[in-house]
Amino acid sequence: MSVPTPLEIFEYNGSALVAMVGKNCFAIASDRRLGVQLQTIATDFQRIYQIHDRLFIGISGLATDAQTLYQRLVFRHKLYELREERDMKPETFASLVSAILYEKRFGPYFCQPVIAGLGEDDKPFICTMDAIGAKELAKDFVVAGSASESLYGACEAMFKPDMEPEELFETVSQALQASVDRDCLSGWGGHVYVVTPTEVKERILKGRMD
């Protein structure tokens, strides 16, 4: 087996991630496949992590780096909670993730995180960044992973502003399922969180098993 080049290493395990905003809510969704190039290793892999009740992060890219980065973020968030006695705002958390990635810029984590949260006045916040922490903010949706090109197309076609939570779930699920079918490195079902000011709904999607 050939050694992956730096560009290929982001797609070594395959991934699909999308976050989308609705009316005072947001959805974040991922596929469930963990592979080594074209060989599937696991079909229940977790890519989305809950930081607190109103803040989630999805990490695409190299799975080992994603897990290491998540552990560092949990550690830093717990320190923040102890010092400040409150949860971190999504914007603050995005800056923390960006700083952690940028300090490793000469030997980066091969990850592309997607951050989604509810800020003050229940306003949804979503953003993504590259492996060295350059943020990209959006008011509609953000995507990441090996299926990101087809996710852009599906989300662009299906998104509309101010969706209610149930419609948002349907939209993000359809976009995810349509996109992973066009990418052989991601898929095998989906994992969707829909977050409102009062509740978090987690759902598992069944998809093509090939």
Side-chain angles (χ1 to χ4, degrees), residues 23 28-29 34 46 52 58 63 75 82 92 99 101-102 108 110 129 132 148-149 163 168 179-181 206 210:
K23 190 176 182 182
I28 183 167
L34 172 69
Q46 184 181 359
H52 59 73
F75 169 68
L82 283 168
T92 313
L101 289 172
Y102 190 68
F110 294 108
M129 55 193 77
I132 56 165
S148 61
E149 286 182 17
M163 286 185 280
L168 181 62
S179 302
V180 297
D181 285 351
K206 285 189 174 178
D210 58 357

Side-chain angles (χ1 to χ4, degrees), residues 129-180:
M129 55 193 77
D130 66 8
I132 56 165
K135 282 188 280 193
E136 183 189 336
L137 306 171
K139 290 187 168 64
D140 45 9
F141 59 84
V142 290
V143 303
S146 58
S148 61
E149 286 182 17
S150 47
L151 272 165
Y152 270 119
C155 293
E156 202 75 65
M158 295 179 185
F159 176 82
K160 58 181 194 251
D162 293 331
M163 286 185 280
E164 295 296 333
E166 278 309 305
E167 189 184 2
L168 181 62
F169 165 71
E170 284 295 330
T171 304
V172 83
S173 301
Q174 292 290 344
L176 181 75
Q177 297 282 46
S179 302
V180 297

Side-chain angles (χ1 to χ4, degrees), residues 14-204:
S15 52
L17 262 177
V18 55
M20 196 177 277
V21 303
K23 190 176 182 182
N24 292 341
C25 61
F26 70 85
I28 183 167
S30 77
D31 70 321
R32 305 186 76 206
R33 178 183 182 270
L34 172 69
V36 171
Q37 292 172 339
L38 297 179
Q39 180 184 10
T40 300
I41 304 297
T43 59
D44 58 354
F45 189 67
Q46 184 181 359
R47 285 202 170 80
I48 300 170
Y49 306 99
Q50 185 169 1
I51 304 300
H52 59 73
D53 289 345
R54 294 154 65 94
L55 180 61
F56 287 75
I57 183 169
I59 310 176
S60 69
L62 193 66
T64 47
D65 278 6
Q67 289 174 333
T68 305
L69 178 61
Y70 169 65
Q71 286 165 358
R72 283 194 68 190
L73 291 171
V74 167
F75 169 68
R76 294 288 288 271
H77 184 259
K78 282 179 176 171
L79 282 180
Y80 182 94
E81 278 182 322
L82 283 168
R83 189 174 60 242
E84 302 282 335
E85 295 183 354
R86 63 192 167 102
D87 286 330
M88 208 179 264
K89 290 179 193 166
E91 295 85 351
T92 313
F93 185 71
S95 297
L96 169 66
V97 177
S98 179
I100 284 174
L101 289 172
Y102 190 68
E103 74 181 18
K104 285 269 190 288
R105 63 192 176 278
F106 298 117
Y109 292 118
F110 294 108
C111 295
Q112 193 181 350
V114 166
I115 295 153
L118 288 178
E120 289 171 340
D121 305 325
D122 300 329
K123 195 170 179 239
F125 169 89
I126 55 167
C127 100
T128 183
M129 55 193 77
D130 66 8
I132 56 165
K135 282 188 280 193
E136 183 189 336
L137 306 171
K139 290 187 168 64
D140 45 9
F141 59 84
V142 290
V143 303
S146 58
S148 61
E149 286 182 17
S150 47
L151 272 165
Y152 270 119
C155 293
E156 202 75 65
M158 295 179 185
F159 176 82
K160 58 181 194 251
D162 293 331
M163 286 185 280
E164 295 296 333
E166 278 309 305
E167 189 184 2
L168 181 62
F169 165 71
E170 284 295 330
T171 304
V172 83
S173 301
Q174 292 290 344
L176 181 75
Q177 297 282 46
S179 302
V180 297
D181 285 351
R182 287 165 177 78
D183 174 42
C184 60
L185 296 176
S186 59
W188 225 285
H191 198 171
V192 185
Y193 291 89
V194 179
V195 182
T196 67
T198 54
E199 65 178 348
V200 175
K201 277 189 180 169
E202 177 186 6
R203 292 183 177 103
I204 301 293

